[in-house]
Amino acid sequence: MTAPARRAGSPAATLLRLSRNRPAPVTGERCEMCAVPVGAEHQHVVALENRSLLCSCRACWLLFTDDGARLRYRAVPERYLTFDGPPLDARAWDELEIPVGLAFLFRNSAQERVVAFYPGPAGATESELPLAAWTALLTARPELATVRPDVEALLVRRTADGGGAGAASCHLVPIDACYELVGRLRAVWRGFDGGQEAHAAMDAFFARIDARARPADARPATAPTAAEDVS
């Protein structure tokens, strides 16, 4: 005996028709503003209200490259700079009250203050920097003032030298690079200081930063817009 034919308007026939017409599931990353597919290497914008990063296609990214416009989003630039000589000596490091050997510093325009984040096993811990110490640092090294609020950061690292006093490196990097580093360290962090694997990850990350960075101009100047600075 053959099975009875499903009626065109039956629930079973409706479900069958819907399953056949269902669109294929979305695979890969997409722009979080217009939903077009983006590659593994793509750009980001910062939502200024909550400082979240959004994946962006090139077209949407370009909409938010005007640093002077009053917008809810800001394009993350693509420049990497390194500074001649360590901008943060041991005294400056102590005055900024940075308690660990790795941090990134940026200006939060919504709160109108400079903040520091320290990577660790739980992600990034935020700390407000002493305003007087930050002002003194900019007076001594005015080229540091070219960091764009919200979208760029000073990534500083202190390592013990032969005398034990410590030496600091400093790079200007896109803010998404800092959060990439935080994510990598969180995945491999062990113990109090991160452990061997975390330190190896830091070494590899800074080697990549050094390879991409160009020397910063020691003269104080207005930073180019994100669109002008694309490498």
Side-chain angles (χ1 to χ4, degrees):
M1 179 180 297
T2 59
R6 295 186 178 90
R7 291 175 298 171
S10 69
T14 301
L15 289 174
L16 181 61
R17 185 172 64 255
L18 290 175
S19 65
R20 289 173 177 172
N21 296 334
R22 183 179 300 166
V26 175
T27 59
E29 296 196 66
R30 290 180 174 264
C31 173
E32 295 183 70
M33 311 197 84
C34 71
V36 302
V38 294
E41 296 291 330
H42 55 265
Q43 289 150 318
H44 295 94
V45 299
V46 172
L48 299 183
E49 291 182 359
N50 57 14
R51 296 205 309 264
S52 62
L53 283 174
L54 303 177
C55 299
S56 174
C57 67
R58 178 72 176 182
C60 289
W61 180 85
L62 287 171
L63 295 175
F64 304 104
T65 55
D66 185 352
D67 292 339
R70 297 180 61 88
L71 301 170
R72 295 174 53 195
Y73 303 96
R74 189 78 70 214
V76 177
E78 299 178 313
R79 67 172 180 164
Y80 291 77
L81 301 180
T82 186
F83 298 93
D84 183 21
L88 277 73
D89 57 18
R91 178 180 177 181
W93 193 281
D94 293 338
E95 289 177 346
L96 289 174
E97 300 179 6
I98 298 176
V100 296
L102 178 66
F104 61 94
L105 294 58
F106 73 94
R107 181 167 183 80
N108 184 323
S109 62
Q111 300 179 9
E112 297 184 348
R113 63 184 178 94
V114 177
V115 295
F117 281 84
Y118 318 125
T125 301
E126 181 178 350
S127 175
E128 184 175 352
L129 293 177
L131 179 59
W134 177 251
T135 302
L137 178 61
L138 293 185
T139 300
R141 300 298 297 263
E143 67 271 24
L144 301 182
T146 63
V147 180
R148 299 181 183 99
D150 305 302
V151 295
E152 289 182 331
L154 294 177
L155 181 61
V156 294
R157 186 186 187 189
R158 190 177 189 181
T159 56
D161 59 17
S169 66
C170 181
H171 298 79
L172 184 153
V173 300
I175 195 70
D176 54 4
C178 297
Y179 289 118
E180 176 189 347
L181 176 59
V182 169
R184 290 188 182 187
L185 294 181
R186 183 178 184 180
V188 299
W189 195 279
R190 299 292 183 273
F192 177 75
D193 68 345
Q196 184 176 355
E197 193 172 356
H199 285 275
M202 281 188 273
D203 290 341
F205 186 85
F206 275 88
R208 183 164 63 89
I209 295 298
D210 284 330
R212 296 191 62 172
R214 58 181 174 82
D217 191 341
R219 297 169 299 174
T222 302
T225 65
E228 292 172 337
D229 195 65
V230 173
S231 56

